[in-house]
Amino acid sequence: MAISIKTPEDIEGMRIAGRLGAEVLDYITPFVKPGVTTGELDRLCHEYMVNVQGTVPAPLNYAPPGYPPFPKAVCTSVNDVICHGIPGDKVLKNGDVVNIDVTVITKDGYHGDNSRMFFIGEPSKLARRLTDITYECMWLGISKVKPGAHLGDIGHVIQQHAENAGYSVVREFCGHGIGKVFHEEPQVLHYGRPGTGEELKAGMIFTIEPMINAGRREIREMPDGWTIKTKDRSLSAQWEHMILVTETGYEVLTTSAGTPPPPAIVQPKDTVAA
Ligand code: MF3
Ligand code: CO
Ligand code: CO
């Protein structure tokens, strides 16, 4: 099966989905404070999606082969949780770091998938550096996106930046094609070699969502069937954007008023067609 090329109608639908997905993260930001539970953050996001946006949370009851239905609207991954943390009665405290991963489904059936890191109060030096390096990894990957580039170009630059900083790249989870389907081809690995993997073509849409560990890359699966932690209990960080391959490069679809700007390590995109 080839990677789908989105129609102009699909692309317009995915721009809307991406903006709505990002706006959920904007909305939740002021609530991410010491004392709040991850379950309360989930409830607030869920209500905002359904009652304000008219979107539906894609994770709720999502059950890929081998997984039990995901029981909540968003993923909240705290400290050594790599991804797919299930919101619950966990109270966030000063010094914690949390990734909130939001995927909305719009009325037209398009998915808007993105995540950001949040600090609870004052982060440790390690937490700040890991979070910053992971953000740079995501953006270095994004900056490689253009027709004729290869998926391996993205993976390589992410792996190189993470490992140069002394960190490791999680192998078991990756970015993914997305549209009316939540997870579709291609798999976007966050490691690899330049020039390898599928060639990018205008109209493809996929996520880039590196999971970077402060320690070793190995994972541990929790008995809930979803939560993934670092095996060595080291801190883990993740950021996620949804990217369209354009004729000249890329467009970040998960953009809103509160989207953090690209890091200094990535040059501002030349938006003028060559
Ligand atoms: N949003 C996640 C991703 O980036 C997937 C979460 S699936 C869930 O692909 F069921 F755990 F929510
Ligand atoms: Co994703
Ligand atoms: Co996601």
Side-chain angles (χ1 to χ4, degrees):
M1 254 297 284
I3 303 168
S4 74
I5 301 299
K6 267 56 180 180
T7 65
E9 182 189 347
D10 289 335
I11 290 169
E12 198 38 56
M14 288 298 283
R15 283 197 183 102
I16 293 165
R19 178 175 51 77
L20 289 166
E23 284 176 353
V24 177
L25 290 171
D26 290 359
Y27 164 74
I28 202 63
T29 298
F31 297 101
V32 189
K33 291 219 167 92
V36 76
T37 65
T38 53
E40 177 69 1
L41 296 174
D42 177 78
R43 190 186 65 77
L44 288 163
C45 287
H46 195 174
E47 285 184 4
Y48 186 78
M49 287 182 229
V50 172
N51 299 330
V52 178
Q53 294 188 324
T55 63
V56 166
L60 187 61
N61 295 317
Y62 184 60
Y67 285 81
F70 191 82
K72 295 288 179 177
V74 304
C75 298
T76 51
S77 300
V78 183
N79 297 340
D80 65 336
V81 177
I82 295 170
C83 62
H84 302 164
I86 301 174
D89 50 20
K90 184 178 180 62
V91 179
L92 297 178
K93 60 175 196 307
N94 191 49
D96 285 342
V97 289
V98 59
N99 172 279
I100 304 180
D101 192 332
V102 166
T103 309
V104 301
I105 310 175
T106 65
K107 285 196 191 76
D108 296 332
Y110 293 104
H111 289 74
D113 182 8
N114 67 158
S115 80
R116 297 180 196 159
M117 295 297 293
F118 298 86
F119 299 135
I120 311 304
E122 201 49 42
S124 68
K125 273 201 175 132
L126 172 63
R128 186 181 294 281
R129 180 166 178 267
L130 176 67
T131 297
D132 288 351
I133 293 282
T134 304
Y135 190 64
E136 291 175 349
C137 283
M138 176 184 70
W139 266 103
L140 286 168
I142 292 170
S143 72
K144 291 291 169 192
V145 174
K146 63 178 179 193
H150 291 258
L151 285 173
D153 301 347
I154 298 170
H156 177 69
V157 71
I158 291 171
Q159 180 180 14
Q160 186 173 259
H161 193 58
E163 292 180 356
N164 281 347
Y167 301 146
S168 64
V169 177
V170 172
R171 301 295 203 274
E172 289 82 354
F173 301 92
C174 57
H176 50 93
I178 186 167
K180 285 191 168 174
V181 174
F182 192 175
H183 294 105
E184 61 182 31
E185 286 190 63
Q187 296 197 62
V188 181
L189 304 182
H190 302 118
Y191 58 93
R193 304 302 312 165
T196 66
E198 289 274 357
E199 185 179 323
L200 305 186
K201 296 191 170 58
M204 291 177 177
I205 295 178
F206 51 80
T207 70
I208 299 178
E209 49 179 302
M211 284 143 275
I212 307 297
N213 297 347
R216 295 176 56 84
R217 74 185 199 212
E218 285 79 13
I219 68 168
R220 260 181 326 141
E221 298 176 28
M222 295 298 105
D224 63 23
W226 276 103
T227 306
I228 305 294
K229 292 188 178 183
T230 57
K231 191 174 180 188
D232 64 5
R233 294 177 158 74
S234 65
L235 222 49
S236 188
Q238 179 177 29
W239 291 83
E240 176 175 26
H241 266 316
M242 214 167 61
I243 310 298
L244 166 69
V245 185
T246 66
E247 297 294 339
T248 54
Y250 62 84
E251 179 180 329
V252 177
L253 298 177
T254 33
T255 300
S256 61
T259 306
I265 195 172
V266 171
Q267 296 308 308
K269 183 167 71 102
D270 179 4
T271 52
V272 182

